[in-house]
Amino acid sequence: RYISIFRPSVKCEAEKNKAQWKTMGPAKVAVPSPQNFLQKHSKEPKLPARKKEQDSKKLPALSVPRRTDRPVMGIQSKNNFINTNAVAAITGLPKKPQPIYVDRRQGDKYLLETSGLVPKYIKKKEYGVTPKYVIQRNEEMKRAQKEYEASILEHLKKKAMKRLSDEERRSLLQGLKKNWEEVYREFQGLSVEIDTIPKKIYKEKLETQMKQLEHDIEVIEKHKVIYIANE
């Protein structure tokens, strides 16, 4: 098994210091000097040394001239500022009152511009202009529609299918609606009480025909372009 090479030295150290710990703490402790007694506030944290009074007496730089400063002499102007101000006041346009609004009966006034009631958005350059992403999306939709129609035409050419004209589509739609009206008239003519099996079967048959006709009418109205296979 493993044996540490420091085992003898550790045993020697333990035996040397064993006698000192037989009592509470080491056997021999240095006695403090009577002159170094515990004083009041000696264990409190000490504050840093105070700066010199000269640094605290420094005043901040003033924006006004000092008493000892002297103005620059000898500068003169030939402008008549009194007449200039009078002409500007006479010919100037009067100031427009600032728009305000009152929302309380006490008469408290607030600025109208910052209230959100002024339609500032109509003054934008982009106001009323179609966004770029909408234009791009419309172009992509048109391109996809053209590609779809081109693929359908190619597919139809391969399978030899025929496209219904607008007149044929309109006549087909009118015929389907007329058939639905006839079936609906027969459905309305049924008796109120259906107590036999033949009556029940006939009613279910009429309902199935009406649902199929409604589905066909909806499909034809939804799709403007219809193709049929050549017989």
Side-chain angles (χ1 to χ4, degrees):
R1 85 189 156 145
Y2 170 76
I3 298 175
S4 176
I5 60 175
F6 302 102
R7 185 176 181 183
S9 60
V10 171
K11 289 175 104 178
C12 184
E13 284 290 329
E15 289 177 359
K16 281 183 181 179
N17 300 326
K18 187 174 182 181
Q20 297 181 4
W21 306 101
K22 287 184 177 180
T23 59
M24 297 291 291
K28 295 181 181 181
V29 180
V31 181
S33 176
Q35 286 77 18
N36 298 333
F37 57 89
L38 184 64
Q39 298 181 2
K40 187 177 182 181
H41 306 294
S42 61
K43 293 188 177 182
E44 293 182 358
K46 295 182 180 181
L47 297 175
R50 188 175 181 182
K51 294 183 179 180
K52 295 181 180 179
E53 295 183 357
Q54 295 179 358
D55 298 339
S56 61
K57 289 183 179 179
K58 286 184 179 179
L59 298 176
L62 301 177
S63 59
V64 297
R66 297 180 180 275
R67 184 181 296 179
T68 57
D69 294 345
R70 294 286 181 267
V72 181
M73 308 299 291
I75 299 176
Q76 297 180 359
S77 176
K78 296 181 179 180
N79 295 335
N80 192 347
F81 295 103
I82 298 175
N83 293 340
T84 304
N85 294 339
V87 171
I90 294 169
T91 59
L93 297 175
K95 291 184 178 180
K96 293 183 179 180
Q98 201 167 11
I100 58 175
Y101 74 97
V102 179
D103 62 348
R104 296 182 181 179
R105 61 182 180 180
Q106 285 82 4
D108 298 336
K109 299 178 181 179
Y110 303 94
L111 294 177
L112 183 63
E113 187 175 359
T114 58
S115 65
L117 302 173
V118 182
K120 292 184 179 181
Y121 56 88
I122 62 176
K123 299 179 182 179
K124 292 183 179 180
K125 296 180 180 180
E126 297 84 7
Y127 180 73
V129 180
T130 307
K132 294 182 179 180
Y133 73 92
V134 176
I135 298 173
Q136 184 178 0
R137 186 182 299 171
N138 293 338
E139 292 178 354
E140 291 177 357
M141 290 175 63
K142 289 180 181 178
R143 183 168 60 254
Q145 184 67 23
K146 288 182 180 179
E147 292 176 358
Y148 174 73
E149 291 179 356
S151 63
I152 288 293
L153 289 174
E154 186 178 358
H155 184 69
L156 294 176
K157 288 179 181 178
K158 291 180 180 179
K159 292 191 174 183
M161 298 184 75
K162 176 186 175 183
R163 176 179 174 178
L164 288 180
S165 61
D166 295 340
E167 187 65 29
E168 292 175 346
R169 176 177 170 276
R170 197 178 300 110
S171 61
L172 179 61
L173 188 61
Q174 290 177 358
L176 290 173
K177 289 181 179 180
K178 186 176 180 182
N179 293 341
W180 184 86
E181 290 176 358
E182 292 178 357
V183 176
Y184 183 70
R185 193 180 300 112
E186 293 180 6
F187 183 79
Q188 290 290 99
L190 292 175
S191 60
V192 178
E193 185 178 0
I194 300 175
D195 51 354
T196 60
I197 295 177
K199 288 182 180 180
K200 185 176 181 181
I201 294 173
Y202 185 60
K203 180 185 177 183
E204 292 177 354
K205 179 182 177 183
L206 293 178
E207 289 177 349
T208 305
Q209 290 180 0
M210 289 172 64
K211 288 182 180 179
Q212 184 63 36
L213 289 170
E214 289 173 358
H215 178 265
D216 296 342
I217 291 170
E218 184 181 358
V219 170
I220 293 174
E221 287 180 345
K222 185 177 180 181
H223 300 88
K224 296 183 179 180
V225 180
I226 300 174
Y227 297 92
I228 59 175
N230 291 328
E231 296 180 355

